[in-house]
Amino acid sequence: MKLGYLRAFIVLLAGLIALIVNIKTGREATVSLLIVLIVICVFYVIGTLICEILQKNLETKPEGEGEEEESEEEESLDENEDNETSVEEVVDEDNF
């Protein structure tokens, strides 16, 4: 989980900014804490969405890697076909 702390970082940064703005404007403590709580909840949802989107993008393979795997599979299939024909030839030779 490469993005484990990203969500927490986003939430805490948003909460810190909201708290600093509330202190600078001189709001009451209860109103300030209510605003910070709402900001934390909203940015938790936003952080979760961002983490999910980034995780999906990081898990997808680049286009070049998929082609290499396909070519390796084709080569292994070709080798298996060659092995099967050689086995059939040996069986046919044994019958004569």
Side-chain angles (χ1 to χ4, degrees):
M1 184 175 208
K2 297 177 183 176
L3 304 173
Y5 296 113
L6 181 63
R7 181 184 309 129
F9 180 74
I10 291 171
V11 170
L12 290 174
L13 184 65
L16 178 67
I17 292 171
L19 189 61
I20 291 172
V21 169
N22 285 329
I23 290 172
K24 289 288 184 180
T25 57
R27 291 198 174 114
E28 293 181 15
T30 55
V31 175
S32 176
L33 290 175
L34 182 64
I35 291 171
V36 170
L37 179 65
I38 292 170
V39 167
I40 286 174
C41 291
V42 169
F43 275 91
Y44 180 80
V45 172
I46 291 171
T48 301
L49 293 174
I50 289 172
C51 286
E52 291 296 322
I53 290 170
L54 289 175
Q55 191 71 28
K56 286 181 183 178
N57 287 337
L58 291 176
E59 287 178 359
T60 58
K61 296 183 221 174
E63 294 178 10
E65 289 182 13
E67 295 173 359
E68 291 176 3
E69 290 179 4
E70 290 175 4
S71 63
E72 289 175 3
E73 290 176 5
E74 290 175 1
E75 290 175 5
S76 64
L77 289 176
D78 291 339
E79 291 174 3
N80 288 338
E81 289 175 1
D82 292 340
N83 290 339
E84 289 174 3
T85 55
S86 63
V87 170
E88 290 174 0
E89 292 172 359
V90 170
V91 171
D92 289 338
E93 292 174 3
D94 288 340
N95 288 337
F96 287 110

